[in-house]
Amino acid sequence: MATRAVSGARAALLVLCRGGVVPVTAAPLLLRYSSTAFPRRCWPLCIARSFGSAPQPLSARKFTDKHEWISVENQIGTVGISNFAQEALGDVVYCGLPEVGTKLAKQDEFGALESVKAASELYSPLTGEVTEVNQALAENPGLVNKSCYEDGWLIKMTVDNPTELDELLSEDAYEKYIKSLED
């Protein structure tokens, strides 16, 4: 079997060797594997990936119980609403968002979304300062419905207290939370 590196959905680096999959989280770990469990011909490919020659992935999305999400890269969090929230709202027709420079504490209200069905307040998932507002939403608030995890993001903010991320729900925990609401 050919040896190759693959990345999983959560950006964990894996090496496929002789029919087995070996997780690789850092180059020093490579040296711990014996030549039978981890053949030398795998090393160059894995070492190159482990030292960051590939682009760094975004962190996994974390969710609040109020249906906001955040993903963090280089201490800047991108915030939006979940698919569940945008479906519950219906067609978004207006986005009221804060100004750049607004300081937010975790769970502070920072704006509102209005739809043909309802209005919903937005709450900050973390403590930080707004560094960017999605200007595209002013002209096209429907992006929140069409692409809530990509083009329909709401704000970008600094992450002043990274430990607050640990208090948020993982994607799997959020999915379980959603199912509990539907029951």
Side-chain angles (χ1 to χ4, degrees), residues 3-69:
T3 302
R4 62 189 177 100
V6 296
S7 59
R10 297 239 188 258
L13 186 61
L14 302 175
V15 177
L16 184 59
C17 293
R18 295 185 187 170
V21 177
V22 179
V24 178
T25 56
L29 292 177
L30 295 174
L31 302 176
R32 293 186 196 164
Y33 291 102
S34 70
S35 61
T36 57
F38 200 83
R40 285 184 190 266
R41 67 178 189 255
C42 298
W43 291 10
L45 180 59
C46 301
I47 289 171
R49 293 293 303 265
S50 297
F51 281 122
S53 63
Q56 293 298 315
L58 288 174
S59 70
R61 257 183 228 108
K62 298 285 226 156
F63 293 83
T64 69
D65 59 357
K66 294 181 180 176
H67 310 290
E68 285 85 14
W69 60 263

Side-chain angles (χ1 to χ4, degrees), residues 54-125:
Q56 293 298 315
L58 288 174
S59 70
R61 257 183 228 108
K62 298 285 226 156
F63 293 83
T64 69
D65 59 357
K66 294 181 180 176
H67 310 290
E68 285 85 14
W69 60 263
I70 187 165
S71 63
V72 178
E73 182 178 24
N74 299 325
Q75 296 296 88
I76 298 293
T78 302
V79 178
I81 65 166
S82 70
N83 190 54
F84 177 85
Q86 71 82 18
E87 285 177 351
L89 271 173
D91 294 336
V92 175
V93 295
Y94 174 76
C95 300
L97 299 173
E99 293 182 12
V100 170
T102 302
K103 293 187 186 307
L104 300 170
K106 183 176 179 180
Q107 299 181 351
D108 275 357
E109 186 177 323
F110 71 83
L113 296 177
E114 294 179 14
S115 72
V116 293
K117 288 194 215 176
S120 179
E121 290 80 25
L122 300 166
Y123 298 93
S124 179

Side-chain angles (χ1 to χ4, degrees), residues 102-174:
T102 302
K103 293 187 186 307
L104 300 170
K106 183 176 179 180
Q107 299 181 351
D108 275 357
E109 186 177 323
F110 71 83
L113 296 177
E114 294 179 14
S115 72
V116 293
K117 288 194 215 176
S120 179
E121 290 80 25
L122 300 166
Y123 298 93
S124 179
L126 302 174
T127 300
E129 183 177 328
V130 177
T131 59
E132 188 177 345
V133 175
N134 188 347
Q135 297 299 325
L137 297 179
E139 291 183 26
N140 189 2
L143 284 173
V144 171
N145 299 108
K146 293 178 188 143
S147 180
C148 64
Y149 296 119
E150 299 295 329
D151 298 330
W153 60 271
L154 304 171
I155 63 171
K156 294 190 180 191
M157 64 186 296
T158 61
V159 177
D160 290 355
N161 187 356
T163 59
E164 290 176 341
L165 279 166
D166 299 334
E167 300 166 18
L168 300 176
L169 300 170
S170 67
E171 200 156 349
D172 290 339
Y174 180 71

